[in-house]
Amino acid sequence: MNTGVRLLVGLLLFAILIAAGIAIIHAGGYGLTLFVTFPVLLGGVASWVFRPATHFRALMLGVLAAAVASVGLLLLRLDGLICIVMALPLTAPLAALGSWLVYQAEPSGRIRRGLGILLMLPPGMLWDAAAPPPVFEVHTSLVINAPPEKIWKYVVSFPPLPEPHEWYFRAGLAYPTLTRIEGSGAGATRYCEFSTGPVVEPIEVWDEARLLRFRVTESPAPMHELSPYAQVEPKHLHGYLVSKEGQFLLTPLDHGRTLVEGTSWYQHGLWPAGYWRVWSDAIIHRIHLRVLHHIKTLAEKQ
């Protein structure tokens, strides 16, 4: 196949991939098809069109293809910078793999076998539609130099926190600002105000100075997306990272100290779930620490 025909066919394949990817994003399909299948195919098509001369160039071509596609998502207002940066450690190596597979297959006349490997990728669309989101647990603890009786009221509700200095919160990740409670005991409703909206928490267990456990019936967006545009609202900001339950457990220690443990149970609809859990666990852990350090400051000051 001569260079001109190869380029035209490649452009057609790129157009098909781009159109399909945009359609999947608009439909909210943030799963294996988008984050695994498409990067491999994108890298494979790039390698077939531009025919890199070495293994290294094939790998770098795949990474470049993933980077260009990511910039395209940003410019088309399909996603924000934070999520694109989170996805690149997954999509860039997969695109490099796709490019390398085609590079390996073509010079020796095994291009059909190489393309066959690409076509044997997991049927992501079926998985994305049928797989139930798993529930994950994040546990964070802190020792406070105060007895449980003095800490309890700040666990139930606490006054406004200072503005965060951490770069990830200032970049747009949602962070708690204060809590308030309506009622007392089991059946009361706790409201944890975040920078993106309130979290509504009906209390299920009120064991004073020991355990506060609650369900979560409403969660706000997990972040404000960074973008060159005034506002970007990709579908994954709503209904994909969902808090389900939470609790604070207070355990008295010696010398008037208390171990305060915060636990959250949540789920997300992003795949591969194990990869995205690394990010979501880290975010929730830092939210826990922001709250626990604020409670520690208030209780120890008292």
Side-chain angles (χ1 to χ4, degrees), residues 30-66:
Y30 296 95
L32 295 180
T33 304
L34 185 66
F35 293 120
V36 176
T37 304
F38 268 79
V40 176
L41 291 175
L42 185 66
V45 172
S47 183
W48 183 77
V49 172
F50 296 106
R51 307 180 76 176
T54 65
H55 293 275
F56 179 76
R57 289 186 180 181
L59 294 171
M60 291 301 100
L61 180 61
V63 172
L64 179 61

Side-chain angles (χ1 to χ4, degrees), residues 144 146-157 184-185 203 205-213 247-253 256-261 295:
I144 298 178
E149 295 76 16
K150 290 188 177 181
I151 298 170
W152 177 254
K153 66 178 180 179
Y154 299 120
V155 167
V156 172
S157 65
S184 178
I203 305 299
V205 178
W206 181 296
D207 186 355
E208 188 156 337
R210 180 181 175 276
L211 176 64
L212 184 73
R213 187 181 179 98
Q247 73 172 32
F248 289 93
L249 177 65
L250 282 65
T251 304
L253 304 174
R257 301 177 304 151
T258 303
L259 176 66
V260 181
E261 300 171 90
I295 293 173

